Amino acid sequence: MRILVTGGAGFIGSHFARCLLDGRYAGLENCHVTVVDKLTYASNRDNLPPAHPRLSMIVGDVCDSRLLSEVVPGHDAVVHFAAESHVDRSVDDPARFFETNVIGTQRLLDQCVRAAVGRVVHVSTDEVYGSIPTGSWTEECPLEANSPYAASKAASDCVARAYWRTYRLDLSITRCANNYGPFQHIEKVVPRFVTSLLTGREITLHGDGSAIREWLHVDDHCRAVALVLGKGRAGEVYNIGGDTEMTNRSLAQAILALHGSGWDRVRYVADRKVQDRRYSLDYRKIQNELGFAPQIPFSEGLADTFRWYRENPAWWAGTLDEVDPFCLDEVVMEPVAG
Ligand code: NAD
């Protein structure tokens, strides 16, 4: 079995690739993994083993049809993680998001059809649904994306559906809640809060911090993607939720407690141009059909994630200049305990 993982040097794709290489998914223990990744600022080559007998690493762009026409043939399955993924950057530079997330998906799926790839999972996000004041989204809810990032992902979901419907590509779509865990770029909220505290800075909260997000550990997300890859039905969408909803204020509070700091380390900043109030997924379909259940309690996963950033400053210190410039004053690295 040969599996192509796009975006496999990013946060979630690399976790998925490492799990495949570690033989953690039943039926895929000996698969060969090909990673195609453009190695943008969001990636890190060190997220993957430097060498592994079952890993091939190809540096390339999912918008590059010529490259894909050479790489895709011979693969039994494709799991498509590659994307521009940061909402704030999508507000400043939407074109790049539509290029990679929409055109890249179309070019990749085109090559999957040509190469008669047997199975494809398109990895998407709950943000395509917009914002929900009460209740939870099922897979039938309309797509009401609000940010350019979410719109580009919603468009890519439509592209994916069209490739299933028109060309009979055996493809499923997953829509997951916010992920957290090790190896996530520090521009994203959990590692940003953690590394802000570890470098002697304040946590910056958008608006009044009352926006609500649903959280799932990256390991649970990747296990769900593996289930969908193995047993998901073609043409179906699967929500992947975590039941852990909290305001950004509560998230800040939890991370402050792990650091042993108080609310004086919090600074409120202007709200995002687009700020969805609440995300919440109904994920009974993947529970009932594929037997998925999250396994990592949020408090445990968050504590492990905090520890990982504390113990691996070399992984993230070099990316401090890639986050919001207003966060960068008075950076003082905190010594690693022990
Ligand atoms: P990430 O930004 O950490 O990683 C994206 C990877 O894609 C990077 O390695 C980057 O180099 C690569 N990439 C970007 N443009 C590319 C291109 N044109 N060609 C080839 N590679 C390219 O993102 P992530 O958080 O790991 O997200 C992975 C996927 O999961 C995305 O599709 C995202 O929409 C989806 N998702 C993310 C979350 C989350 O909370 N992070 C939640 C739900 C869904």
Side-chain angles (χ1 to χ4, degrees):
M1 176 96 171
R2 295 179 72 84
I3 302 182
L4 177 64
V5 178
T6 71
F11 166 46
I12 306 173
S14 70
H15 192 92
F16 186 76
R18 290 194 306 276
C19 288
L20 286 175
L21 295 174
D22 290 345
R24 287 199 38 212
Y25 301 136
L28 302 174
E29 289 89 347
N30 297 312
C31 69
H32 181 93
V33 180
T34 305
V35 166
V36 174
D37 198 297
K38 193 178 171 184
L39 296 185
T40 69
Y41 79 94
S43 69
N44 188 329
R45 178 60 186 84
D46 296 340
N47 292 355
L48 293 166
H52 190 288
R54 291 192 289 109
L55 173 68
S56 307
M57 174 76 203
I58 294 165
V59 179
D61 192 330
V62 289
C63 297
D64 182 348
S65 294
R66 225 179 91 179
L67 172 85
L68 294 174
S69 71
E70 289 164 10
V71 172
V72 174
H75 287 91
D76 304 290
V78 172
V79 185
H80 181 36
F81 291 97
E84 290 290 343
S85 67
H86 189 45
V87 173
D88 293 341
R89 287 181 193 257
S90 82
V91 174
D92 291 341
D93 183 10
R96 189 147 47 95
F97 283 69
F98 289 96
E99 181 74 20
T100 286
N101 299 0
V102 187
I103 303 298
T105 298
Q106 185 271 323
R107 298 218 169 122
L108 175 71
L109 298 185
D110 216 45
Q111 294 304 324
C112 290
V113 170
R114 284 167 199 260
V117 171
R119 181 84 183 117
V120 178
V121 176
H122 172 64
V123 178
S124 191
T125 165
D126 59 356
E127 299 194 30
V128 298
Y129 294 119
S131 183
I132 189 165
T134 55
S136 301
W137 292 298
T138 66
E139 289 82 354
E140 280 72 44
C141 285
L143 305 188
E144 294 180 341
N146 291 320
S147 70
Y149 163 65
S152 69
K153 292 297 291 187
S156 73
D157 288 12
C158 293
V159 170
R161 181 185 155 81
Y163 269 75
W164 161 68
R165 196 80 174 83
T166 309
Y167 305 107
R168 297 286 155 208
L169 190 61
D170 186 335
L171 172 150
S172 306
I173 297 169
T174 60
R175 295 187 183 137
C176 190
N178 275 26
N179 282 214
Y180 71 99
F183 298 97
Q184 185 171 31
H185 193 283
I186 65 166
E187 69 185 359
K188 304 287 169 51
V189 65
V190 167
R192 186 163 58 80
F193 284 180
V194 170
T195 59
S196 292
L197 293 174
L198 294 177
T199 51
R201 291 173 293 143
E202 293 164 322
I203 283 180
T204 51
L205 265 181
H206 288 293
D208 63 359
S210 64
I212 294 172
R213 297 291 178 260
E214 180 177 1
W215 291 99
L216 185 71
H217 194 278
V218 64
D219 194 63
D220 281 324
H221 180 191
C222 288
R223 199 161 35 77
V225 169
L227 282 173
V228 172
L229 177 65
K231 299 194 284 178
R233 286 182 293 135
E236 295 293 321
V237 175
Y238 294 91
N239 286 346
I240 306 172
D243 292 328
T244 305
E245 277 182 44
M246 65 176 65
T247 62
N248 288 339
R249 254 198 324 262
S250 302
L251 177 68
Q253 188 66 65
I255 292 174
L256 284 165
L258 288 167
H259 187 251
S261 292
W263 203 250
D264 56 312
R265 296 290 296 273
V266 174
R267 179 159 52 101
Y268 288 95
V269 297
D271 214 345
R272 281 173 156 172
K273 235 182 214 140
V274 272
Q275 180 68 287
D276 290 329
R277 297 311 308 162
R278 177 170 174 264
Y279 300 145
S280 179
L281 286 171
D282 179 331
Y283 63 102
R284 280 175 293 180
K285 181 172 171 181
I286 192 170
Q287 285 182 304
N288 297 337
E289 266 188 36
L290 307 183
F292 171 73
Q295 288 178 351
I296 302 183
F298 183 74
S299 55
E300 256 175 50
L302 191 67
D304 284 348
T305 302
F306 185 91
R307 199 172 314 118
W308 188 86
Y309 281 93
R310 173 171 253 167
E311 289 173 358
N312 293 281
W315 184 87
W316 52 265
T319 60
L320 279 168
D321 60 352
E322 289 166 6
V323 294
D324 303 344
F326 63 79
C327 297
L328 283 178
D329 40 344
E330 295 171 44
V331 173
V332 183
M333 297 293 290
E334 185 173 286
V336 180

